[in-house]
Amino acid sequence: MSRYHEVYESWKKDPEAFWAKAAEDIDWIRPAEKVFDPEAGIYGRWFVGAECNTCYNCVDRHVEAGRGDQPAIIHDSPITDSKRVITYSELLDEVSRFAAILRDFSVEKGDRVIIYMPMVPEAVIAMLACARIGAVHSVVFGGFAANELATRIDDAHPKLIVSASCGIEPSRIVPYKPLLDEAIEMASHKPDTCIILQRPQRRAGLVPIRDHDWAELMNRAKARDHRAECVSVAAADPLYILYTSGTTGQPKGVVRDNGGHMVALKWTMKNIYDVDPGDVYWAASDVGWVVGHSYIVYGPLLHGCTTIVFEGKPVGTPDAGVFWRIIEEHGVKVLFTAPTAFRAIKKEDPEGEFIRKYDLSGFKALFLAGERADPDTVQWAERHLGVPVIDHWWQTETAWAIAANPLGLGLLPQKYGSPGVPMPGYEVDILDDAGERLPVGELGAICVKLPLPPACLPTLWQDDERFRESYLSRFPGYYETADAGYVDEDGYLYIMSRTDDIINVAGHRLSTGAMEEVLASHPDVAECAVVGIADDLKGQIPVGFVVLKAGAGRDTSEVEAECVRLVREKIGAVAALKIIMTVARLPKTRSGKILRGTIRRIADGEEWKMPATIDDPVILDEITEVLRARGLVRGA
Ligand code: COA
Ligand code: AMP
């Protein structure tokens, strides 16, 4: 029997008592004066008046409690053929030294530090060191190009940037340092200092005065036993900023606080994931995404688990058995990844032969999120792994699951295609355009009643107005998730699509609007549209349509190739925009709105209706032809 309904009801009856109880699992320097203050912040703030330190709760307290010799981080890097185990005691040493180094470079409480790194333990050490001294980190995913990094530098104004000489992708070494240098060159804000982790695969030249070598600084700090202790920060002080795609090229700086974040994440570890302190927990994601923040770093470390930092891919490093090798070798109890990783494995190993080569007896559950988990993939994983496969739904903005099937509270019956039921903290309603609640089974905007629970974003970095406008203005009293879906008679949610122009490519959240901005900057492009269409491996892929300027007189395939390169250069390889089609014109409404949704439905082979407001219906036939010619119409 699941305790879910009982626990959800207990939260609903008294949310403050519920979160006050959860807060007992965190060590506070000073307890909260108010568990929730509705007058503070934009929609209220959690644990107002409390003082705490996130790094202390992730590291120091476990060493004090006798977990010093337990591995805190296992770095398993098949791509560099290396492994490294860092115990909690060692992590404490490294983090307190790096925190002291940050201090030496005048980084103080409230200052921002950008971390632009591949999947190495130093990325986690840098994050925790910031938390230790109350600095606010902002991790930028390594697959983003210089321009994206520059945008974040100009928004966050970091005093210091921590980076590495290179990242390693299966087909190539990605030199990070030239990207970093270019980004700093482009940005109007200049950081005072950069600390660079030199990797043997490709060392980087250092700029005198500004750049410093990670290893040299750490060796010197070790020789002097130079350390920084945890500082006390307010629960509502920011722990980090994580930029995520918005509807324009300007990403949104999601702010995470210290206190509420710890309380909620700690609660999820037992109640949603059913892991205990000492267990090995693995989120095969990247520290550049929210899944990495919450479940590679903070969740497992707050709970005293061992976390795996994996530098590799589900397939090809070296084969589709790498996940099972790691689960067996390190005794992983719970794995969390994106469905796309499983689709990649399923494609390479449809009969699950690699799975049978390993002893997975200690493996208890697989969690999926980041994009829709298609029932085929979920059932394939269930069949071959013999453990619960649990889809759950959340966003960068929330830091933890809005809906899940909570393993720790006892599983509810599995419903394929649904990521489960709302978690305590979230009252979810489906609203129509007028903001009225829709009945069971009807599709609408998925919204969460305010206040949001602890850990959810209190605002956007230095942009309260954009926060209100993006999330709170359309449906007063609610947070708008920008996902559309419905709820069934048992309260299970179904997430159908985004209501904005965000797409999900291989579990990476990307803005088609940002890609359109880049295409529009090409000198020969008059107009453009980017649409996310269904893809068997990546869930969705972007395809671009361009209309060339009259008299451009260029070879269209050349312009198309330039457009592909431009997006790769400006946004990064991760945008995965590889298909551009030149068309004579774009389908629009009479008011000039491009019919992106209709194009998507045509490509996905879904039913579609001719929009009543269409300017010229013939254009949709032209687009269909172009898509067909490229083999991009499903079922055609
Ligand atoms: N640094 C630099 N480049 C990166 C990068 C990084 N950290 N991560 C990805 N890229 C590059 C890739 O090399 C690829 O470049 P290419 O176009 O030259 O091949 C491009 O960005 C697109 O990457 P991706 O969409 O990840 O596709 P892929 O072909 O490399 O791998 C999968 C396909 C399915 C194996 C892979 O997407 C995967 O494992 N995804 C897991 C999803 C995930 O972790 N999501 C996080 C949320 S839970
Ligand atoms: P991100 O902020 O990168 O985590 O992306 C959040 C978005 O990914 C959500 O708003 C959804 O559109 C999508 N998403 C995340 N998890 C799921 C899921 N389990 N099912 C369907 N869509 C999901």
Side-chain angles (χ1 to χ4, degrees):
M1 263 299 274
S2 174
R3 289 173 48 233
Y4 162 74
H5 292 288
E6 173 203 325
V7 173
Y8 189 81
E9 284 314 312
S10 79
W11 161 74
K12 216 167 162 188
K13 219 170 103 210
D14 192 346
E16 288 188 34
F18 181 90
W19 291 116
K21 178 99 187 66
E24 289 171 10
D25 281 346
I26 296 300
D27 282 357
W28 302 91
I29 296 166
R30 198 171 70 206
E33 282 151 22
K34 288 184 180 168
V35 175
F36 183 73
D37 181 354
E39 303 304 322
I42 295 179
Y43 62 82
R45 296 298 301 257
W46 290 98
F47 305 107
V48 171
E51 293 274 327
C52 56
N53 184 283
T54 296
C55 180
Y56 176 81
N57 277 279
C58 287
V59 187
D60 303 54
R61 73 159 168 171
H62 301 311
V63 176
E64 288 165 18
R67 278 188 194 283
D69 294 333
Q70 179 197 312
I73 298 175
I74 298 176
H75 181 229
D76 192 309
S77 172
I79 210 154
T80 61
D81 196 22
S82 67
K83 288 174 205 164
R84 179 179 167 201
V85 177
I86 302 175
T87 64
Y88 270 102
S89 291
E90 289 162 347
L91 185 61
L92 177 58
D93 289 343
E94 301 262 330
V95 169
S96 41
R97 282 181 203 132
F98 197 67
I101 291 166
L102 292 177
R103 274 269 179 71
D104 294 344
F105 289 111
S106 309
V107 176
E108 296 296 337
K109 186 157 144 176
D111 288 337
R112 272 81 58 215
V113 172
I114 279 189
I115 300 172
Y116 181 58
M117 291 186 107
M119 283 296 287
V120 288
E122 286 80 0
V124 182
I125 292 167
M127 291 165 80
L128 293 166
C130 289
R132 192 166 189 85
I133 58 171
V136 181
H137 62 69
S138 184
V139 181
V140 178
F141 175 62
F144 282 127
N147 187 55
E148 291 286 319
L149 180 56
T151 312
R152 286 153 176 81
I153 294 174
D154 274 336
D155 198 67
H157 285 199
K159 206 172 228 180
L160 185 146
I161 299 184
V162 187
S163 188
S165 56
C166 66
I168 297 129
E169 285 295 291
S171 58
R172 63 191 191 281
I173 290 177
V174 185
Y176 278 34
K177 188 56 184 5
L179 297 173
L180 172 66
D181 290 342
E182 197 187 329
I184 295 176
E185 183 68 39
M186 286 163 103
S188 343
H189 171 85
K190 311 286 177 196
D192 301 333
T193 309
C194 296
I195 300 180
I196 310 296
L197 177 78
Q198 294 281 18
R199 306 192 78 192
Q201 292 79 6
R202 176 81 51 95
R203 294 180 64 84
L206 300 185
V207 176
I209 304 178
R210 191 197 70 189
D211 294 352
H212 298 266
D213 181 302
W214 171 292
E216 272 176 30
L217 294 170
M218 287 293 262
N219 286 340
R220 258 184 270 147
K222 187 175 178 185
R224 291 165 55 206
D225 197 24
H226 188 38
R227 289 162 182 272
E229 290 314 315
C230 294
V231 304
S232 175
V233 301
D237 279 345
L239 168 69
Y240 70 75
I241 307 164
L242 180 57
Y243 289 90
T244 188
S245 299
T247 46
T248 64
Q250 180 65 35
K252 293 170 174 164
V254 167
V255 173
R256 194 81 60 217
D257 69 10
N258 275 276
H261 177 243
M262 285 196 279
V263 172
L265 257 61
K266 176 84 169 79
W267 183 87
T268 64
M269 293 306 291
K270 181 66 196 167
N271 294 290
I272 296 183
Y273 300 102
D274 197 23
V275 290
D276 293 310
D279 285 341
V280 182
Y281 183 95
W282 178 20
S285 175
D286 188 289
V287 286
W289 306 117
V290 70
V291 174
H293 281 64
S294 292
Y295 293 109
I296 294 173
V297 185
Y298 291 110
L301 295 180
L302 283 166
H303 203 48
C305 292
T306 299
T307 184
I308 308 267
V309 173
F310 170 64
E311 190 179 22
K313 303 267 172 183
V315 294
T317 60
D319 54 38
V322 66
F323 275 24
W324 327 125
R325 194 266 296 158
I326 290 181
I327 289 174
E328 178 191 286
E329 188 172 329
H330 306 302
V332 173
K333 187 167 171 191
V334 165
L335 170 65
F336 176 172
T337 192
T340 197
F342 265 75
R343 286 196 295 266
I345 294 171
K346 183 172 74 162
K347 197 166 153 217
E348 296 266 306
D349 182 20
E351 300 308 319
E353 280 161 27
F354 278 108
I355 300 176
R356 287 192 287 279
K357 289 189 190 161
Y358 296 92
D359 174 8
L360 304 186
S361 52
F363 182 47
K364 297 291 179 237
L366 167 67
F367 282 82
L368 298 172
E371 56 175 322
R372 200 180 121 76
D374 52 290
D376 265 6
T377 303
V378 173
Q379 283 164 342
W380 181 88
E382 274 178 346
R383 201 163 56 243
H384 290 286
L385 292 170
V387 298
V389 176
I390 301 166
D391 180 17
H392 58 333
W393 168 63
W394 49 295
Q395 314 183 302
T396 304
E397 288 82 349
T398 64
W400 61 289
I402 307 170
N405 194 343
L407 185 61
L409 296 178
L411 277 185
L412 296 165
Q414 163 82 295
K415 292 202 188 191
Y416 297 106
S418 164
V421 292
M423 289 296 93
Y426 297 98
E427 187 175 341
V428 179
D429 282 327
I430 312 293
L431 304 181
D432 67 11
D433 284 345
E436 296 298 325
R437 284 179 59 184
L438 284 164
V440 158
E442 281 192 33
L443 186 75
I446 312 181
C447 295
V448 180
K449 258 231 175 98
L450 292 173
L452 291 168
C456 290
L457 79 174
T459 187
L460 293 174
W461 178 248
Q462 292 191 326
D463 207 346
D464 289 352
E465 215 23 67
R466 191 174 181 198
F467 174 67
R468 281 200 192 90
E469 197 187 298
S470 309
Y471 302 102
L472 310 183
S473 63
R474 191 157 158 231
F475 301 107
Y478 284 94
Y479 164 83
E480 184 187 357
T481 65
D483 279 314
Y486 62 93
V487 66
D488 75 5
E489 62 288 356
D490 298 318
Y492 285 60
L493 279 164
Y494 291 78
I495 317 300
M496 305 312 286
S497 63
R498 291 281 303 193
T499 57
D500 54 14
D501 62 1
I502 301 290
I503 56 170
N504 237 296
V505 181
H508 308 315
R509 172 167 160 180
L510 298 165
S511 158
T512 53
M515 293 186 220
E516 288 179 1
E517 283 177 26
V518 175
L519 294 183
S521 73
H522 188 290
D524 296 322
V525 170
E527 265 193 305
C528 63
V530 175
V531 177
I533 66 169
D535 179 77
D536 287 338
L537 176 64
K538 296 193 175 190
Q540 278 184 306
I541 50 163
V543 295
F545 298 88
V546 290
V547 178
L548 301 192
K549 283 182 184 158
R554 300 274 317 272
D555 174 34
T556 54
S557 59
E558 250 175 49
V559 178
E560 289 167 9
E562 285 166 14
C563 285
V564 166
R565 270 202 302 278
L566 200 61
V567 170
R568 204 175 160 92
E569 244 168 64
K570 298 268 185 219
I571 298 178
V574 68
L577 178 57
K578 299 199 168 156
I579 303 170
I580 303 274
M581 288 165 275
T582 306
V583 292
R585 41 202 191 147
L586 291 167
K588 291 183 193 165
T589 61
R590 280 191 285 275
S591 59
K593 216 166 158 279
I594 299 173
L595 294 163
R596 294 179 184 80
T598 313
I599 301 179
R600 182 193 63 72
R601 278 190 284 279
I602 292 173
D604 290 353
E606 284 176 14
E607 260 183 51
W608 60 278
K609 276 204 293 267
M610 185 65 71
T613 55
I614 192 162
D615 188 26
D616 182 352
V618 178
I619 307 178
L620 278 177
D621 297 336
E622 294 169 11
I623 295 282
T624 309
E625 253 337 285
V626 173
L627 284 166
R628 247 202 212 114
R630 296 271 190 125
L632 292 174
V633 178
R634 291 209 148 211

